[in-house]
Amino acid sequence: MKRLVLLPLLSMAALCSMSAQTLKGTVNDEKGEPVEFATVAFRSLPDSAVIAGSITDVNGQFSIERSGAKNGFVQISSVGYETRDISLADFAKEQSVTLRSDNKVLDEVVVSKVRPKTTISGDAVVTSISGSVLEHAGNSLDVLGKVPGMISRNGTLEVVGRGEPLYYINGRRVTDNSELRNLMSEDIKSIEVVSNPGAEYGGEVRCVVRIRTVKRQGEGFSFALTSQAAKHIYKCHDAEPSWSVLDLNYRKNGLDILGKIVYFNQRFYQVSNIYGETIVKAADGHIKENVQDGYLDCRNHYAGGNVEAGVNYQINELHSLGAKVSYGFNGYANTKMILEDDFITDGVVDDHVFSLNDSRTPKARTVNANIYYDGKINNLGINFNADYSDNQNERETDVDETSWSGPASLKTVSESDAKMAAAKLVLSYPIWKGVLKFGAEEVYVSGDQTYSITHDEIPSSDADMSENTISGFAEYSLGAPFGQFSAGLRYEHVDFDYDNQITPEKSVGRKQDNWFPSFNFSTKIKVVNLNLGYSTRVRRPRYDQMTTEVLYDNRFTYQTGDPTLLNEVQKTLSLNANWQWLTFTAVYEVVDHSIQQKAYPYNDDGIIMVQYANVDDAVRKFSLYLNASPAFGVFYPRYTIGLQRQDLTTEVLDPRVDGGKRSLTLNTPMFFVQANNAFRFKRSWLVDLDYQFTSDNDQLMSSITKPVHCLNLAVSKSFLKHEALNVRLAWNDILDKMRYYFSTDFGNCIIVQDNNSYMPALQLRASYRFNTANSKYKGTGAGQDAKQRM
C-alpha cells in the first residue's frame, strides 16, 4: 500500500467507543430468525416524543442511547409485523424481542405459507422463500430468476433495469458462483434485491442481491454435494457440460474449519453467419465497398476446478475472525474455430478464405486470500477485511489459412500476470435517531501483458500497468414513524499508469477523482409499500479493454483496446412499489461515455478493426416492470411483464452521404414477458413450466433484430429425512428458439450476425446435504471491483 489511509479511522473508532447509557437488544421473528431493518425508537413519556432511534442489523441487533431520559418506552416496528411497545422497566428484563406477523399485511395466513411474501424493507425488495413454494425450486440460481425484481435474460440473472448484481450471503460477499449452485432453496430464508446500493459498496457496484439463509445450529462434521450433467439434443451431441461442488465444514464450539472442492467440465458450441461491410473513400473520390460474408463454427472445451480452505473463530456473539484461501486452475482449455468467408469488393468476389484457429491455455491459475475481523465494542461496530489476489494466464493460438491468394499460417502467444492487494475498514455507530456507517478502502493492482505474433503487419506488445485506488465513504440511516431513510457519499481517487515497453509514446498516466452520492427512502402509504432510490455509479474499463495489443482473428478482422478509455458514468433513479402479490419497478438512467466495441475500416483493403471505445452521446434508459405472484390451490404462477427502452441519437461516419456523416437513432424498445408456472403436489413433487419472450430491441449501438423465445420444463422431488436429497430433471429450450440475431451500424462499418448455440438440452442435477450448518464466516472481502476487472 502506498498510503496507510485506515489509521485515522482506527483513531476515530477509539474515540467513538466511549458510549453513553445505552439500550441493547435483539429482534427476532416467531421462528427465532433475526429481523433486519426493524425500526427501534426510544420515546419519552408522556408526550411520546422520539428521543433516540436505530435500525437493527443483519443479526437483528440494535443499540440506542437513552440520553439521560428516565421515563419512556421502546417502540419496535417493521413492515409485515405488529408494532411492539415495551416500557423501560420491562425492557431491562427483556433483551430479546419477538415480533409477531401482522396478518392484515400478509393478506391471509394460510396462503402466505405457500405463496412467497414480497415486501419492501429499507433499500430492498424482500421476498420470503422459507415456507413458500420457492422453498423447493432447486438451488439458489433457480430461485433468483423467479423473485420480484429479478429476471433471467439471455441465460443471465439480472436485476431489472440494472444488470448483473453482486451477491451476498448472510452479509458475506460471494466470490465464487459455485457457492450459489450449492446453496439449496430449502436453506434460503429470504432474498433482498437492491436496485440502488448505498455508499458502502464500491463505485462500480450497480445493484446487489442479499441472500439470508435459515439459521441451522449443528456441530461436528457436515457437507453438501451438488452435481449436474447435461446432454444436448437435436444437435451438438458432444457438448455435455457438467460440474460438481462439494462443501465441507467441521464445527466445534466457536471454531469452524471450512473446505470446498469444485470441478467443472464445460463444452460450448456456436455456429454463426457473419456479414461485415466496410465503406472507404479512395483518394480519387471513389467509394469502395468491401464485404465479408461467411460463417463461424466455434467449439470450446474447458475443464478445471477450484479448491478452498478456511478457518473461522467466533470468540463470542460480538466478535469473530477468520481467514480463507482458494486456488483455481484450468486443467484443460481449448477453442477451435473455423471461419469461411467470401470477400467481395465493389460487388465482385476477389477472395475466398478458409481459416482454422486452434487456441490452447497451457497455464491459467488464480490464487485468492482473505482475512477478516467482525466485532462490536460497546456501540461501535467494526468490520475489517484484507485481500490478496494473483492471476496468471497464458494463451497460444495457431492460425492456418487457405485462400485464392495462397496459404498462410501464424502463431500468437499472450501472457498476463496481475496481482492485487486491498484493505477495507467499515465502522458503524448509533447517532441521534439513526446509525452512521463510515469507512475507507485502498486497492493496489499491478500487472504486465505480453503479446507476440508471427505476422509482419501486426506488432508485438509488452506493457506494464498499475492502479492505486483510495476510497472513503459515510452513510447515515434513520428509522422514523413515517419511513426509513438513508443517504451516503463515497469518494474515490484513482492513480492509473499504463507503460508501453515497446512504444513508450503510447504510454498513458492519469489521475481521477469521483464522488458517488446515494439516497434511499422507504415508506408505507395505506396498503402500498414504496421505495425511492438514487445513486451515481461508474464503470471503469476492464484491464483487457485498455490493452494496445492487436489481436488477429482472421486475415480481414483485427481486435484491440484503448488505454485512453473514459469511465462510464451512470446516474440512476429507481422506484419500487409493492401491494400484496403485486410488485412494480421503474428505473430511469442516464449514462455518459458508455463503453462498447466499435468497428471501422483499418485500411483500404477491407480489413475491419474492432476496438473498445466510448459512445460520444449520453444514453438515456428507462425500464418498467410489473410482477404478479398469486396462488390458486396447487398452482403458483409468477408472471413478469416489462418494457425497457433507450434513447440514443448519435452521428456516425459514412462516406456515402454528403458531409461524410449521418445521424443514427437507436430507440427500439424491448418488450419482455416471463411466465413461471409452478405446480406443487404432495410428497415434495414440484413441476415448473417456464416461458420467456424478448422482443427485438436496441442496446447501445447494436440491435437485436428478431424476438427470442424460450420454454423450459423441470420436475423435482426431495427425498429422505429433512429432504436431504433433491433431484431435478429439466428440459431446457424445448422450442429451440434461443437464437440471437444482431446488427450493428457504425456508419462506415456494418456488421450483421446470427448466433445459434444449440441450447436444447436435458439436464439432471442432484444435491445431498448431511448435517448442514450455516457457515459463520463473515469476511466480506476488499477490492472486489478490481478482481472483476482482472
Side-chain angles (χ1 to χ4, degrees), residues 491-625:
Y491 166 75
E492 294 186 355
H493 172 79
V494 181
D495 286 334
F496 174 78
D497 289 301
Y498 184 92
D499 296 322
N500 192 314
Q501 303 295 317
I502 296 179
T503 314
E505 59 269 21
K506 291 185 178 181
S507 298
V508 176
R510 61 187 181 192
K511 301 180 186 294
Q512 296 176 312
D513 294 279
N514 298 106
W515 294 90
F516 305 101
S518 61
F519 164 86
N520 258 289
F521 175 68
S522 296
T523 189
K524 185 177 181 181
I525 301 177
K526 293 185 177 179
V527 295
V528 179
N529 299 308
L530 297 170
N531 169 263
L532 181 68
Y534 171 82
S535 66
T536 298
R537 297 292 173 187
V538 68
R539 177 190 168 202
R540 296 188 178 92
R542 297 194 315 266
Y543 299 119
D544 64 290
Q545 294 174 336
M546 295 186 291
T547 182
T548 58
E549 65 186 35
V550 178
L551 304 179
Y552 183 94
D553 284 350
N554 60 48
R555 186 174 299 187
F556 292 92
T557 307
Y558 301 162
Q559 290 190 51
T560 190
D562 183 359
T564 66
L565 281 174
L566 300 176
N567 293 338
E568 180 179 300
V569 180
Q570 308 147 351
K571 300 176 182 178
T572 307
L573 182 67
S574 65
L575 172 68
N576 293 295
N578 168 256
W579 175 74
Q580 293 187 9
W581 43 265
L582 290 174
T583 303
F584 172 77
T585 299
V587 179
Y588 178 73
E589 185 174 55
V590 179
V591 184
D592 293 313
H593 314 305
S594 295
I595 299 172
Q596 81 149 48
Q597 283 185 312
K598 285 189 175 182
Y600 58 89
Y602 183 67
N603 55 26
D604 294 343
D605 298 326
I607 294 178
I608 297 175
M609 175 61 79
V610 180
Q611 182 177 28
Y612 286 100
N614 294 110
V615 176
D616 296 330
D617 300 271
V619 183
R620 290 170 172 81
K621 306 176 183 178
F622 73 86
S623 305
L624 302 173
Y625 285 85

Side-chain angles (χ1 to χ4, degrees), residues 18-24 42 52 63-70 88 379 429-430:
M18 295 180 289
S19 72
Q21 289 181 311
T22 59
L23 299 172
K24 299 180 181 181
F42 176 56
S63 61
I64 53 177
E65 295 185 12
R66 291 174 53 180
S67 300
K70 297 181 179 179
L88 192 57
N379 288 332
Y429 191 78

Side-chain angles (χ1 to χ4, degrees), residues 19 40 88 168 362 386 416 615 686 780:
S19 72
V40 183
L88 192 57
Y168 286 79
S416 64
V615 176
L686 183 65
T780 58

Side-chain angles (χ1 to χ4, degrees), residues 613-664:
N614 294 110
V615 176
D616 296 330
D617 300 271
V619 183
R620 290 170 172 81
K621 306 176 183 178
F622 73 86
S623 305
L624 302 173
Y625 285 85
L626 179 65
N627 175 272
S629 303
F632 308 100
V634 299
F635 177 43
Y636 305 94
R638 293 176 299 279
Y639 296 153
T640 300
I641 59 174
L643 166 68
Q644 192 167 311
R645 182 182 184 272
Q646 72 172 22
D647 182 10
L648 173 61
T649 300
T650 188
E651 283 191 336
V652 294
L653 299 174
D654 192 339
R656 296 172 296 183
V657 301
D658 294 338
K661 293 183 179 181
R662 60 180 168 88
S663 179
L664 182 65

Side-chain angles (χ1 to χ4, degrees), residues 175-191:
T175 58
D176 182 358
N177 279 346
S178 66
E179 189 168 0
L180 297 175
R181 293 175 180 174
N182 217 20
L183 176 62
M184 300 307 296
S185 54
E186 291 88 350
D187 295 323
I188 300 175
K189 176 189 175 185
S190 64
I191 293 176

Side-chain angles (χ1 to χ4, degrees), residues 389-410:
S389 183
D390 185 355
N391 295 266
Q392 293 185 4
N393 188 78
E394 180 181 342
R395 190 169 182 83
E396 301 175 350
T397 302
D398 293 317
V399 181
D400 293 302
E401 293 180 346
T402 58
S403 67
W404 293 351
S405 56
S409 63
L410 60 90

